[in-house]
Amino acid sequence: MSACVPTRATDSDSAERTRPPQSPPPVRHRRFRIAGADVSASIAVFLIALPLSLGIALATGAPLQAGLVAAAVGGLVAGRLGGSPLQVSGPAAGLTVVTADLIQRYGWRTTCVITVLAGLAQLGLGCLRVARGALAVSPAIVHGMLAGIGVTIAVAQLHIVLGGTPQSSVPDNLRALPTQLADLDPAAVSVSILTLAPLLLWPRLPGRIGRLLRLAPAALVAITLSTAIAALAGLVLPKVDLPSWSSHALAGFPEGPVLGLAVAVLTTTLVCSVQSLLGAVAVDKLAAARPGPVHVGRSDLDRELLGQGAANIVSGSLGGLPVAGVAVRSTANVHAGAVSRNSTMLHGVLVVVAALLMVPILELIPLASLAALVMAVGIQMVSLHHIRTVTRHREVLVYAVTTLGVVSLGVLEGVALGIAMAVGVALHRLTRTRITHDEEKGVHYVHVRGQLTFLAVPRLSRALHLVPQGARVVVALDGSFMDHAAYETLQDWRSTHTARGGTVEITGRRNGIRIAEPAVLTGDSAGGADAPTPPDAGCRCRPWTAWRNHQCERPRPATPPAVPPGTPDDEGEAQPSRAARHRVTDAGHDAEPNADTPITSDSGTDIDTSTSTDTGTGTGTGTGTGITFGPASGPHSGSASGPHSAGDELVRGISAFQRNTAPLVRGELARLAREGQRPTQLFLTCADSRLVTSMITSSGPGDLFVVRNVGNLVPAPGEESGDSGDDSVAAAIEYAVEVLGVRSITVCGHSGCGAMQALLDSEPEGGPTPLRRWLRHGLPSLERVADAGRPRARLAGRVPADAVEELCLTNVIQQLEHLRAHESVARALSARALELHGLYFHVGEAQAYLLTEADGRQVFDRVRAMDLAT
């Protein structure tokens, strides 16, 4: 018998289960399931969409059923076919002005045809995959357009709130407002106030009861309350009128000039598409920021454009309003916990049910209540947050022109004016360059503010030629762009000036713009044996190193000394130099070979290029490429044969801070100097130069109270005053907990810790050196590793790479136990005023691992984005 024959061939029903080799696999019918979160989210969105859809239809002058049709189609069609699973589509306030203008010009049936044609245009754009291009529109233009639409809506609906009838344009409405104020309808005003008050106060209800009540949407509460009071009081007001669906007006043959219809289609397509695409991007951000493990895929913008086009075709054909993504409903959908597109589709089903079965209830709603609701939405479209943002980015002029254009002329005209203004502002910024020349204490300063293009070359040349020969010059470039003409001008002048005995320092440049230094002679320069070689030849720039950040780093010598440190071993991995090995043993650092190993010059003097971490932040990096400094006056000047001594590097770093970073942080540091430090975290970590605490925690001045020592050790109480005689760690802990009142303490270990390597190699038990006496505090960690009865420290998904990593992990756990034994920490823990955290940072992976509990065991798990959100 062949080995391929199944052993259960004798089953009685095997013949029935056997199928021909070419037959397709059996189809498994999957049951359609809707998550409970989608059901609750759809109800929340429905309760918001129902009154808003009626209000937007009222504001446009369309039949009120048209708002319900658009809401249902947006939920069912756009929800099913669109590329943004959690975005809710329907009649949008941003389309109110456009639709109202179309209805007034062409009538309702032609407006429906325009909606269908706009949907076809969206389908074409989606097939061309140009959705991403729509995001190239300046946010100032989009926000200005929405603000203009919001002002138009609010002014128009104010007339209905006051008991009147709105005019066709904002200027007409403003001119008619005094007359309307003189002829108020008390009933309409009362109902409007009853609607606006809950809209304003409902989200601000305090306490636990307030949180429960806020589960009901404010819009639904406002409409329900005003309708109930109007009915109980017997107020005579115009109310919602929903004729029979059999008489609902559908799309008809378009009537009007072809050019006007084409402009109308273009305007509707533009507003629908931009609003929907920007809404999809915003929904992605909201969904990504939600806590919890539920992951929703990012939006497919081209598919979203196709879905919106299909929805507009169906909505226009059925006599509905234009459809677009709606920010208010989409935000509610995300916050309600929706996990798929089922919530959007189910909300559309609920709208259909309401339109068919709830007509008697809907016809009780006063029109003044709907107008007040839509007026509030229009006011909210003028966002103060957006105004502050565009002001900060110096685009408030674009925002204002777009807003005024939309209010005065119309949406398409206003957007066109905004685009023209944005182009003008961009050209102005590109061509406007200020160049000044000053002299102070014998140093000449040439300051260039703005982009340095060929248009500014004449002014740059005039400023540079004001500098006398042989003078020291500082050229400060504040722009982010320099074209070839400006580069050549600056480079030629620099070469000439330095050749005549002057010095040039160029500051403020961005990454990628580097002015080459003048050529120098190498080898026997007197005999002219070698050709001129620029000292920057073969240089490399490495990020995230404070002194080398975008600085010229020369490669190591091609011909190393007789015993070259850094020579690759048989495995191809560079070995640390003798100085580096000494540093591993006696300083507790750099047990892992890396690029920060000291470079040994031909004279045997070590040039340490490792990163200084005491500055704590990488702010201001990315500038100062190729900066030339004069000779350092420090004690180490000229002590090394390399291009810069250690003193030079320190001066360079301080100078870069004072020039680039200090102006940015001076205000914050001044505030901290006035108010004092109020950190919320005590961060205890190793003194290893590769651990930049502010970088791995994204913190700034005043955030962390940092204690660093060799091995991130916390001496147990009573051991500090022993032979080691060091109370500094205990004093820092007491000061942080008792005086500063920190709320958490983190012990952070790291990979390749030299202190842990020293513990494994020599197991120090006291000795004459301070380092050996200090390392005694790490012996409990070593004993914990050796104790077979204790659970082993481990990383999530893998075991420790070697004994050093296991000891590094165990040491974090052990030092947390020492922390708990300190009296001040114990008191704070018992009062639930303090938390303790363990952290392990893998240097080579640039990955942080947080100590967690898993199955009763302590595991270091990766820190992910969802951990930060919880």
Side-chain angles (χ1 to χ4, degrees), residues 87-132:
Q87 177 163 249
V88 181
S89 300
L95 292 163
T96 302
V97 175
V98 176
T99 309
D101 183 60
L102 295 179
I103 293 174
Q104 185 178 7
R105 288 189 182 186
Y106 304 110
W108 171 241
R109 291 181 177 273
T110 301
T111 300
C112 293
V113 176
I114 292 173
T115 302
V116 173
L117 295 176
L120 291 173
Q122 287 180 299
L123 287 180
L125 293 175
C127 293
L128 294 175
R129 308 186 68 82
V130 298
R132 287 284 173 187

Side-chain angles (χ1 to χ4, degrees), residues 157-184:
Q157 297 307 300
L158 180 59
H159 284 269
I160 301 179
V161 166
L162 298 176
T165 303
Q167 305 299 315
S168 59
S169 64
V170 174
D172 293 340
N173 280 319
L174 292 177
R175 283 192 293 267
L177 192 56
T179 305
Q180 186 62 58
L181 289 172
D183 187 20
L184 295 177

Side-chain angles (χ1 to χ4, degrees), residues 235-481:
L235 298 178
V236 180
L237 289 168
K239 297 180 181 179
V240 170
D241 182 19
L242 295 175
S244 171
W245 286 102
S246 60
S247 60
H248 177 61
L250 303 179
F253 190 80
E255 298 178 0
V258 176
L259 182 59
L261 293 175
V263 172
V265 172
L266 176 62
T267 304
T268 307
T269 304
L270 172 68
V271 178
C272 289
S273 301
V274 171
Q275 183 167 343
S276 299
L277 295 177
L278 292 178
V281 174
V283 167
D284 285 345
K285 295 179 181 178
L286 288 175
R290 288 191 306 187
V294 178
H295 173 72
V296 180
R298 294 182 62 84
S299 298
D300 182 341
L301 297 185
D302 292 305
R303 178 180 172 181
E304 178 65 16
L305 202 54
L306 292 172
Q308 295 292 334
N312 274 313
I313 292 174
V314 175
S315 180
S317 301
L318 297 179
L321 292 171
V323 171
V326 186
V328 175
R329 300 173 213 181
S330 301
T331 302
N333 193 37
V334 174
H335 289 168
V339 295
S340 71
R341 64 180 70 247
N342 291 334
S343 63
T344 303
M345 298 171 62
L346 187 56
H347 126 270
V349 173
L350 294 176
V351 172
V352 173
V353 173
L356 295 177
L357 302 181
M358 295 177 60
V359 171
I361 298 176
L362 296 178
E363 289 183 336
L364 296 175
I365 301 175
L367 294 183
S369 181
L370 291 178
L373 174 63
V374 177
M375 185 181 72
V377 173
I379 294 173
Q380 291 173 355
M381 292 174 69
V382 185
S383 170
L384 294 179
H385 170 70
H386 291 157
I387 295 175
R388 286 193 294 266
T389 301
V390 297
T391 303
R392 187 168 61 249
H393 291 283
R394 298 184 299 170
E395 293 185 338
V396 67
L397 188 59
V398 178
Y399 180 92
V401 168
T402 307
T403 301
L404 292 176
V406 171
V407 170
S408 304
L409 303 175
V411 174
L412 192 61
E413 294 84 352
V415 170
L417 286 175
I419 292 175
M421 179 57 63
V423 173
V425 169
L427 292 176
H428 175 71
R429 291 176 179 174
L430 186 62
T431 57
R432 182 176 179 271
T433 306
R434 290 184 57 198
I435 303 176
T436 59
H437 169 262
D438 299 299
E439 189 270 334
E440 182 179 349
K441 297 181 181 180
V443 180
H444 293 258
Y445 295 90
V446 178
H447 198 168
V448 180
R449 299 177 178 87
Q451 316 311 318
L452 200 51
T453 66
F454 67 95
L455 297 174
V457 165
R459 284 174 288 158
L460 176 64
S461 299
R462 284 195 296 269
L464 294 176
H465 282 86
L466 293 176
V467 179
Q469 294 183 9
R472 182 183 174 191
V473 188
V474 176
V475 180
L477 306 178
D478 276 358
S480 59
F481 175 75

Side-chain angles (χ1 to χ4, degrees), residues 395-747:
E395 293 185 338
V396 67
L397 188 59
V398 178
Y399 180 92
V401 168
T402 307
T403 301
L404 292 176
V406 171
V407 170
S408 304
L409 303 175
V411 174
L412 192 61
E413 294 84 352
V415 170
L417 286 175
I419 292 175
M421 179 57 63
V423 173
V425 169
L427 292 176
H428 175 71
R429 291 176 179 174
L430 186 62
T431 57
R432 182 176 179 271
T433 306
R434 290 184 57 198
I435 303 176
T436 59
H437 169 262
D438 299 299
E439 189 270 334
E440 182 179 349
K441 297 181 181 180
V443 180
H444 293 258
Y445 295 90
V446 178
H447 198 168
V448 180
R449 299 177 178 87
Q451 316 311 318
L452 200 51
T453 66
F454 67 95
L455 297 174
V457 165
R459 284 174 288 158
L460 176 64
S461 299
R462 284 195 296 269
L464 294 176
H465 282 86
L466 293 176
V467 179
Q469 294 183 9
R472 182 183 174 191
V473 188
V474 176
V475 180
L477 306 178
D478 276 358
S480 59
F481 175 75
M482 178 192 301
D483 71 1
H484 186 69
Y487 172 87
E488 292 238 341
T489 301
L490 191 56
Q491 169 65 15
D492 293 344
W493 172 84
R494 177 179 181 172
S495 300
T496 303
H497 187 75
T498 53
R500 294 176 179 176
T503 61
V504 180
E505 176 184 340
I506 299 178
T507 67
R509 293 183 308 284
R510 299 295 187 263
N511 182 24
I513 304 177
R514 183 169 59 82
I515 306 298
E517 296 185 9
V520 297
L521 294 178
T522 60
D524 188 0
S525 57
D530 296 330
T533 304
D536 288 344
C539 66
R540 301 185 299 273
C541 292
R542 296 188 179 186
W544 289 115
T545 50
W547 287 345
R548 292 187 316 206
N549 189 28
H550 302 296
Q551 304 288 346
C552 184
E553 178 198 353
R554 280 78 178 174
R556 302 191 183 191
T559 306
V563 184
T567 303
D569 61 4
D570 296 337
E571 307 264 333
E573 183 175 355
Q575 297 298 313
S577 65
R578 182 171 53 120
R581 288 194 297 270
H582 176 75
R583 183 171 55 176
V584 169
T585 305
D586 293 342
H589 298 164
D590 295 336
E592 294 179 354
N594 57 52
D596 290 342
T597 304
I599 302 173
T600 303
S601 65
D602 293 338
S603 61
T605 305
D606 286 342
I607 306 170
D608 193 349
T609 62
S610 61
T611 303
S612 169
T613 60
D614 290 338
T615 57
T617 179
T619 306
T621 59
T623 58
T625 306
I627 298 174
T628 304
F629 285 82
S633 58
H636 300 289
S637 179
S639 63
S641 62
H644 298 285
S645 68
D648 287 330
E649 300 290 4
L650 179 61
V651 172
R652 288 162 66 89
I654 296 174
S655 177
F657 167 80
Q658 293 297 151
R659 183 172 58 254
N660 303 318
T661 309
L664 303 177
V665 300
R666 187 171 286 119
E668 177 66 11
L669 291 179
R671 183 188 66 80
L672 291 172
R674 292 191 307 268
E675 300 177 0
Q677 61 168 332
R678 299 176 183 175
T680 59
Q681 313 271 340
L682 167 58
F683 199 86
L684 198 151
T685 188
C686 184
D688 193 293
S689 63
R690 297 166 296 179
L691 259 69
V692 185
T693 56
S694 60
M695 183 175 72
I696 65 177
T697 59
S698 298
S699 57
D703 293 336
L704 298 180
F705 187 72
V706 182
V707 176
R708 307 188 69 153
N709 59 52
V710 175
N712 49 275
L713 300 176
V714 180
E719 294 186 5
E720 303 95 327
S721 302
D723 295 336
S724 62
D726 186 1
D727 290 321
S728 63
V729 177
I733 293 171
E734 181 181 351
Y735 182 77
V737 176
E738 300 288 348
V739 179
L740 298 178
V742 298
R743 298 195 297 270
S744 75
I745 302 178
T746 300
V747 176

Side-chain angles (χ1 to χ4, degrees), residues 54-77:
L54 293 173
I56 292 172
L58 173 67
T60 61
L64 296 185
Q65 295 102 318
L68 299 177
V69 170
V73 171
L76 293 171
V77 179

Side-chain angles (χ1 to χ4, degrees), residues 790-845:
R790 290 178 177 265
R792 317 294 289 184
R794 62 187 180 91
L795 295 167
R798 68 175 179 87
V799 297
D802 51 27
V804 176
E805 185 170 58
E806 184 178 6
L807 182 56
C808 292
L809 298 171
T810 305
N811 184 56
V812 172
I813 300 174
Q814 183 64 37
Q815 302 315 311
L816 288 173
E817 289 194 2
H818 289 179
L819 263 177
R820 294 186 183 94
H822 282 261
E823 184 178 354
S824 58
V825 175
R827 284 198 302 269
L829 288 174
S830 62
R832 298 184 181 276
L834 185 67
E835 297 178 352
L836 301 184
H837 301 285
L839 192 68
Y840 174 74
F841 185 75
H842 195 289
V843 176
E845 298 176 356

